[in-house]
Amino acid sequence: MLRAFPVADTVRFFDEIGVRLHEEAGGKLFPVTSRARDVLEALLREARRVGAQLDAGQRVLEIDRVAGQFRIVTPTQEVIASHLVLATGGQALPRSGSDGAGYAFAARLGHTIVPATPALAPLVLDAADAVHAALSGVAHDVELSLRVDGTIAMRLAGALLWTHFGISGPVALNASRHWLRAQLEGRAAALTANFYPGRQFDAVDDEWQARARSAPRASVHATLSTIVPASVAASLLRRLEIDGAITLAHLAREDRRRMARALVEWPLPVVASRGYTFAEATAGGVALAEIDAATMRSRVCPGLSIVGEVLDVDGRIGGFNFQWAWSSGFVAGRALAKGAARA
Ligand SMILES: Cc1cc2nc3c(=O)[nH]c(=O)nc-3n(C[C@H](O)[C@H](O)[C@H](O)COP(=O)(O)OP(=O)(O)OC[C@H]3O[C@@H](n4cnc5c(N)ncnc54)[C@H](O)[C@@H]3O)c2cc1C
């Protein structure tokens, strides 16, 4: 589906409707004007140009099958249609209107719904057992690992942002769906941070020994502050009950090894996510096996197509969720247009 309408086609499409895009660090694409409203206005202009009739501002309350057609009920009208594209989104940011109503519509039309959880959501840490509160606003690179039932299920590296409630930033947001899925399945999930991304205990312990030889009079805090921000170094050492002021020459072997082990596997006691109100996407939704990938048509309900986030698809940070919405919408639209041309 993504190949049917890839990023290059998306950039061209937006250019054609008057939204020039520019690329920022990490390959992220934004309108040159940096205004979300410009994207909205261009899409509305294009919809009007091609003759679409928009009936915005009213909620669909009910969708039924009546004599092989769809009956769509809103507070003010009833629409009968031979074809229906369900594009109701997930549950993230429910005040935008995407509040999960689409799952009930899809289920009523015969679809299986994979239970949903927030995705790309900040994570709440146990206040009694974590260092986050004192570090609110500090960001740095880490590697997160998630053990599910004792086995590594996910490793992700990137920027972590400490907040007053726990953790956020790209790496925490990307990890959230994995922790939440494990919770949903009733499995034991444990998240840890490695402050030396990609390195393990032996390598870190060796490095601290080498540093003790090359700079024996450097303090433990100053040395750790070359790896993580100074405030983080202070919090970690306090938690480990290691005096940051002592020199590397005086750091006891046992403390050095205990610290090296903690630095590659720092427990992050997640208790919850911040939920749909703060999530950027939803994991779960309409089961993909029930959708024909070439057309986005339902395999269980003739005349129905389903696109975007209401489906059981979620991507990591970086525009993948938007691209999924654009691409699946394009595939559905193209198939419907071909069908209409044949009719
Ligand atoms: C804060 C935030 C930031 C995000 N940032 C990014 C990002 O940087 N990159 C990225 O790729 N993705 C991002 N996303 C995710 C992205 O916005 C979604 O994946 C994408 O918009 C999904 O498109 P969609 O058309 O399937 O659903 P939506 O955009 O959710 O649209 C669904 C529409 O259906 C309407 N609707 C739902 N139910 C009904 C009903 N019963 N009656 C009438 N209308 C209804 C809703 O009002 C809504 O307008 C972000 C999401 C949020 C919340």
Side-chain angles (χ1 to χ4, degrees):
M1 270 163 270
L2 292 171
R3 249 182 253 124
F5 190 66
V7 174
D9 289 12
T10 311
V11 173
R12 198 173 316 118
F13 168 76
F14 278 109
D15 196 55
E16 279 166 14
I17 66 169
V19 182
R20 298 244 342 271
L21 301 176
H22 79 281
E23 195 172 318
E24 291 194 356
K28 293 183 199 161
L29 295 164
F30 288 93
V32 288
T33 59
S34 290
R35 274 166 39 107
R37 182 161 290 280
D38 293 345
V39 179
L40 173 65
E41 282 168 1
L43 288 170
L44 290 173
R45 236 184 358 256
E46 178 64 3
R48 275 195 296 272
R49 188 189 69 80
V50 297
Q53 180 193 328
L54 296 176
D55 261 330
Q58 44 185 328
R59 270 194 91 64
V60 172
L61 304 174
E62 230 178 282
I63 302 175
D64 300 310
R65 288 288 275 165
V66 178
Q69 301 222 304
F70 296 96
R71 188 176 70 102
I72 299 136
V73 181
T74 77
T76 56
Q77 56 179 320
E78 210 178 281
V79 178
I80 302 293
S82 56
H83 291 83
L84 175 71
V85 181
L86 193 64
T88 43
Q91 282 181 260
L93 200 67
R95 69 185 159 84
S96 69
S98 310
D99 58 2
Y103 303 138
F105 298 144
R108 180 140 186 199
L109 296 170
H111 278 279
T112 311
I113 309 299
V114 176
T117 64
L120 304 181
L123 293 170
V124 181
L125 300 184
D126 183 352
D129 193 24
V131 294
H132 57 274
L135 299 174
S136 186
V138 181
H140 57 108
D141 281 352
V142 303
E143 181 183 71
L144 294 185
S145 297
L146 182 73
R147 277 201 172 70
V148 177
D149 293 337
T151 306
I152 293 279
M154 172 224 87
R155 261 203 188 104
L156 289 172
L160 178 89
L161 172 68
W162 299 96
T163 70
H164 63 283
F165 56 79
I167 51 172
S168 189
V171 76
L173 297 179
N174 284 333
S176 63
R177 57 104 58 220
H178 299 281
W179 188 88
L180 286 158
R181 300 310 287 175
Q183 281 291 108
L184 186 74
E185 291 160 12
R187 302 164 75 191
L191 191 68
T192 56
N194 183 345
F195 299 113
Y196 284 84
R199 294 165 74 183
Q200 294 310 316
F201 165 75
D202 285 340
V204 173
D205 192 45
D206 286 352
E207 179 175 320
W208 278 81
Q209 290 185 61
R211 288 207 184 206
R213 285 192 296 273
S214 63
R217 283 194 289 191
S219 74
V220 174
H221 178 256
T223 306
L224 189 53
S225 298
T226 63
I227 305 300
V228 292
S231 55
V232 177
S235 284
L236 300 183
L237 291 171
R238 209 174 306 121
R239 188 92 198 161
L240 291 168
E241 297 180 348
I242 292 174
D243 179 1
I246 60 169
T247 62
L248 296 185
H250 287 97
L251 178 63
R253 177 177 182 275
E254 249 338 285
D255 282 345
R256 188 197 70 229
R257 290 174 65 81
R258 192 162 59 82
M259 181 181 67
R261 212 172 284 287
L263 291 175
V264 296
E265 223 167 70
W266 191 268
L268 294 168
V270 181
V271 290
S273 83
R274 294 266 275 165
Y276 287 113
T277 309
F278 294 94
E280 290 188 11
T282 306
V286 177
L288 282 182
E290 296 170 354
I291 303 296
D292 170 19
T295 61
M296 301 312 290
R297 286 205 174 107
S298 162
R299 293 184 199 276
V300 298
C301 178
L304 177 67
S305 309
I306 307 186
V307 301
E309 209 179 304
V310 69
L311 289 161
D312 178 24
V313 175
D314 61 292
R316 62 181 193 273
I317 292 258
F320 298 96
N321 290 295
F322 272 140
Q323 190 60 46
W324 168 251
W326 311 131
S327 295
S328 57
F330 173 85
V331 169
R334 186 181 56 182
L336 282 169
K338 270 190 195 156
R342 269 201 302 271

